[in-house]
Amino acid sequence: MLCTNQNMTALQIVTFFVRRWQLETTFEEARRHLGLETQRQWSALAIARTTPILLGVFSSVTLLANTLVCNGTLPMRQAAWYTRTIPTFSDALAAVRAHWWRAIGLATSRRERDMIKVPRNVFRRLHEAACYAA
């Protein structure tokens, strides 16, 4: 174990490493899903202004997803090649999007001729695809 503070024990160093890892994964998820620090050809000042807002969005989505959790789990998409046991930020973002879209409902035209009926299973698949859109 290497550390600049020679008075730290191995357990303290590992504890700080674990805390740091949690922050690193948070920033990686924010970069992947919200575009944190990826604004190309922007000035350093513009990035400095947008970064706190994007971290606020990340925090808001995380808190909202936490309140939406039913029975301790978030709905998660599963890949065919492996099973995940822990939801990602993508799952949290999709759950929050789905909740908001269900809350506002879908307005339909009052005139029957403007209405197109979509089969329920097609609508669910489109809804899920939109929720998980990057």
Side-chain angles (χ1 to χ4, degrees):
M1 300 279 167
L2 297 175
C3 183
T4 56
N5 184 349
Q6 295 179 355
N7 296 324
M8 292 182 74
T9 66
L11 181 61
Q12 289 173 320
I13 295 170
V14 170
T15 302
F16 282 124
F17 177 79
V18 169
R19 288 183 191 165
R20 172 66 187 244
W21 184 253
Q22 291 171 344
L23 284 174
E24 290 295 328
T25 55
T26 298
F27 280 109
E28 176 58 31
E29 291 284 319
R31 275 187 209 98
R32 183 180 307 137
H33 298 289
L34 300 175
L36 181 70
E37 297 177 339
T38 59
Q39 298 88 350
R40 294 182 184 183
Q41 301 172 352
W42 284 25
S43 68
L45 185 58
I47 292 173
R49 285 191 306 259
T50 59
T51 299
I53 291 169
L54 289 172
L55 285 175
V57 168
F58 183 86
S59 299
S60 297
V61 167
T62 304
L63 290 171
L64 288 168
N66 188 51
T67 61
L68 294 175
V69 171
C70 298
N71 302 324
T73 59
L74 268 178
M76 294 187 297
R77 267 188 165 177
Q78 293 295 334
W81 51 92
Y82 71 95
T83 303
R84 291 186 295 126
T85 57
I86 300 172
T88 62
F89 182 73
S90 177
D91 297 316
L93 187 58
V96 169
R97 284 176 177 165
H99 174 75
W100 280 345
W101 293 341
R102 276 191 303 271
I104 63 171
L106 294 173
T108 57
S109 174
R110 292 182 185 199
R111 292 180 282 165
E112 185 67 32
R113 63 189 170 130
D114 290 343
M115 211 179 302
I116 299 174
K117 296 182 182 181
V118 177
R120 178 67 55 191
N121 61 344
V122 173
F123 177 78
R124 283 189 188 126
R125 291 185 71 109
L126 290 171
H127 185 258
E128 183 181 339
C131 287
Y132 276 94

